[in-house]
Amino acid sequence: MDQRKDDGAVLLTEQESRKDEAQIGLVFAIQPFSVDDGPGIRTAIFLKGCDARCLWCHNPESISPEPQLSYLSHKCVYCGACAAVCSSVHTVSNGRHEINWANATACEDCVKSCPTGALSIIGKSMTVHEVMAVALKDARYYDKTGGGITITGGEPMFQAGFVKALLICAKQHGIHTAIETNGAAPFVQYEELLPYLDLMLFDYKATGGDEYRRLTGLDRETVLDNLGRLRGKGTEIILRCPMIPRVNVTDAHLDFIAELTRTYGNILGFELMPYHALGTAKAKQTGMSVHRFETPDTETVLEWEQHILAKGGRKWEGIR
Amino acid sequence: MNARIRNMRKSVEKLNDAGVRRTCFYSLAYESLKHTRTEPVQLRRAKAQAYLLDHAPLAVLPHELLVGSMTAYCPVEKAVPCYEEQRGKAVQVIEAYLGKKHAEQTAPSQDRNKIKTFEDEFTKKKSRWALMSRVHHDANISYMDLQKLIAEMQARYADEPGLEQYEIARELERGFKLDYGAEVKREIDSLPWFAANHLSFNYARIMNTGFDALIEDIAERLGRAAGERREYYLAAKIVAQAAANFFLRYEEALKHAAKDEIPGRKAELLEMADICHALSYRPAQTFREGLQFVWMLHIMASVTWGSALSFGRFDQYMVELYDRDINSGRLTRDEAKELLCCLWLKINEPKLRTVQSMTIGGVTPSGEDGANELTALLLEVIKEMKLPYPNVGVRLNKKNAAWLMDAVVDSIKAGAGQPMIMSDTVWIENLKKLGYEDKYANDYYNMGCVEIMIPNKQPNWGVTDPIAFPMLFEGVFEKYKRGVYRLETFEEFQTAYHSELRAAVQADKGEADEKMRDIPGKCFDPLASLLIDGCLESGRDLFQGGSELGTHWSFYAYGLGTAADSMAAVKKAVYEEKILTIGQLAQLLERNFAGADSMRAMLERSMPHYGNDEDEVDALAKDILTQFDDLVLAYNEKERRDKYVSTLFGYFFHIYHGEITGATPNGRRKGETFSDSMGPSQGKDVNGPTRMLNSVLKLNHGGVTGGYALNLKINPDLIRNQRGTNVLKGLIAAYLEDGGPQLQVNFVDAEALKKAKLEPDKYRDLIVRIGGYCEFFVNLDSALQDEIITRTVHGL
């Protein structure tokens, strides 16, 4: 820990960093060529674990802070190799593969037996060095497009120490940094990150305190309080707003998005995230189920945007 | 796009849809050749070319401002049998083939002592060749009907033992020929007819001096010449006069067409007639005259049966006339654009054979920024016209101003796959390695698809049998079974592969040298020899050493993705993880994985794939490419004019070579497509475009000298709006900066392609990049369509 007094900590050797818990995180995906998570070409780093319970969650496999089993039926050739090593979870017969999710763990035995990659474990322990090695693969494109890394999830603040270590390391490599957060973590945790953070993708999910809690499980006051304090710090923010027709989209909500992006000088603009149903398929892979909502059409989304813009709101256009 | 261009576009579409076309070439050439049998070959050709130019039927088409067309020369064939009749013929073709096949099994035939035709060349490996309608010459069946018949016959003969599906397609492609008469064919083949093709002509030279000056120059040189040179100048005089006369013939045709026209169009036609008259003797004095001159010579070369003729560095040789007209106020930018749009549509008229290319941007021969006002205008035309031809390559050089990249990305985003991008850094350096001086290397262009040549100065691009990297595994395993290779370690396996590669390259070298020996005294093209630098000066035909520079003999190779994946699968599954032995793998491949689904699935899915920025498999890809380049480069001798070049480009060979190749270690089944050109295996680059490009950038591109094709597939959704422009520009800039040689971007989404396959009529305008060239999706064979759909689905 002594070595973390300065930023040199990230130059720990692989072995040393393994010892430091903050240097290890549970990552469920690293997505290169992310072009919708901040400016330029970015690598999105998805961390596992989330304190929110948004009804429309599009990454349900990210919620649990533990590794978990995943099954992709289209890759399955029904060979039964998994059932042979673990019959309490897998039953394969006549072109059907049943999984007893209640018994499923992340022990990996069945995954190792699977010849096609239909079975996998979601969530992998990785060191800062390992994550950075992946992110650095695309460094040549960051320079050319104003891109960098975006740490998202899940809720990255669930692994705040790891996030900080990652950000420090990225800055040492001169990489533009961003995190995407639900905004509900204690402010002191955000404050710790600010010296190494270039941009925040800050979620704003509903207008009305009860609504916020009912739909997301989060406290709206905390979110707004954090937003206010970040304004004081001058942190650059893109306001990300999930839009679920007939669920969180109200005139009051659109008005408030306009209000925030109009009055907060540090907010670069809003970005509407229209609901899509990918989360339902992903939930199925992990034996979960999430509610399916209505997917808005392009015209509807444009109308929402127009509404916000008419009220003086500012839109984030994707480039600085 | 103004009304004229819209109307002209419709009319060109109609011409392309009009049906099967017969050519007048054979009968007209024969008319001349039958009277000259006792004369020297060079003069026979000159006289026949002159005869073609003097007698080719001419066409003046509606709306056009530039005249000259192949449509009357290749009229629509009236006597095409109905589909029912063709089905009967198809059965006959297949039955006859089966009969011949059985007979040949007992007594194989020998037939090698002739210069091979295009089709012979393309079918040496028993494969098909007509996967696109533009290449499918001289059939008495429409391309769509042929595709339908192939599908029908494949179903009908599905259970015929010893008859593969590709054989059915191939035989039907060859079986439906227009009949030009046995005697006519014999005369043409015995010469044999040999037209300059796969090269670019120096149209600008005569454009800037005029035919009178040229003919005078020839006469003066003829007066001084003796011996063989005298024969060249005699031939040159014959064709130069015929070429000048060809303009006068069009003058007459235009005046004739003007007679019955309404006043506005009448004036246009008469103006065009005046231009043709002037160009028959004097240089072009305006941009419009220049365009007419270039186009007319292009048509003349096509009438004498040239193919894959490139426009070379069009923005370089046309900019002087353009600037002069714009600066003097004689021409507005919009008028120039309209003329260029006319040219674009003319290039898409039927029977301009195979891919016609054009190059823009880059640097001048002296190394200065060569991008100009005309370059910018051309990019606008490309963007608005969205046509497959010309196949435009833009050269990007560090010296080019920033606007060029902006305009290029803008045009690419329009979605027609044009222009493709070439890196000056790579190509100029690599041409210098071949021994070229700066002024030549700086002047390179893309011929046909992606082939790198030096404009105006070289004979035909020299073609040898393309090497499919994945096909070489067949040799490795076959020799393993015979005990030639032991393959006890991965190093032994890799060495065995290298041996097969060396043998394939040696075979190509032998083929190139054999072709070289066939040329002296036999191959002449007097018209083309007016248009290639050095011939007039030396008094020699371009094929007889007259050209300023020698030939590039191309060693094509492609399929790196499938090959690298196969190599990685062997390394990991056999030698590292020992999941199966090499003997077991050999058996699996021989059985085409029969009864081994999960093993095949493991080989396909659980092994590393090229195109994902994974070091180990990328290193195997690098090794294959480096081996190949080194083998080819080593044949070159500085002092020799002719060069051997490595061309990493597969055209559409990946489909038809795939059809005839057995299973490969990457889990690819017998008959399935190989990866295209330098791309990863279809659908296996699952980590997006940056990672795919990262894999490519690990290869050593310092020895690639002939050409290169890499497709970048991007979901159009990802690069919409300004944000997308920034992203796309960044991808291209990073790729070029870190040593990428060539790139073409494809945006079509899979849904559109699937619909286009089902309802071709609704998607006639859909253009896809295939591998170095563009084509209308609906004009492709269904195997190629499926391949593109697969590639696109996975590319997203």
Side-chain angles (χ1 to χ4, degrees), chain B residues 181-202:
Chain B
E183 173 57 25
V184 171
K185 275 285 206 186
R186 199 176 310 125
E187 188 74 50
I188 305 256
D189 290 344
S190 69
L191 190 59
W193 192 268
F194 197 84
N197 60 82
H198 294 79
L199 76 177
S200 82
F201 291 129
N202 194 349

Side-chain angles (χ1 to χ4, degrees), chain A residues 223-281:
Chain A
V223 171
L224 289 180
D225 181 56
N226 280 333
L227 207 50
R229 295 199 202 196
L230 289 166
R231 182 190 198 178
K233 297 278 183 188
T235 307
E236 282 194 345
I237 283 175
I238 296 168
L239 201 68
R240 303 257 271 190
C241 311
M243 304 298 277
I244 295 85
R246 282 182 258 285
V247 177
N248 69 344
V249 186
T250 61
D251 280 357
H253 187 50
L254 297 175
D255 290 349
F256 202 80
I257 294 170
E259 173 74 11
L260 285 173
T261 53
R262 185 172 61 79
T263 55
Y264 281 50
N266 63 321
I267 297 185
L268 301 175
F270 68 84
E271 191 168 26
L272 301 188
M273 317 292 285
Y275 174 78
H276 60 75
L278 265 180
T280 54

Side-chain angles (χ1 to χ4, degrees), chain B residues 245 317 427 694:
Chain B
N245 190 53
Y317 62 80
W427 297 115
N694 288 349

Side-chain angles (χ1 to χ4, degrees), chain B residues 178-227:
Chain B
L178 288 164
D179 184 9
Y180 293 103
E183 173 57 25
V184 171
K185 275 285 206 186
R186 199 176 310 125
E187 188 74 50
I188 305 256
D189 290 344
S190 69
L191 190 59
W193 192 268
F194 197 84
N197 60 82
H198 294 79
L199 76 177
S200 82
F201 291 129
N202 194 349
Y203 298 133
R205 180 159 137 172
I206 312 178
M207 176 178 88
N208 292 324
T209 57
F211 270 104
D212 272 2
L214 174 72
I215 291 166
E216 213 173 292
D217 185 24
I218 294 170
E220 196 262 325
R221 288 173 191 271
L222 178 62
R224 284 187 281 127

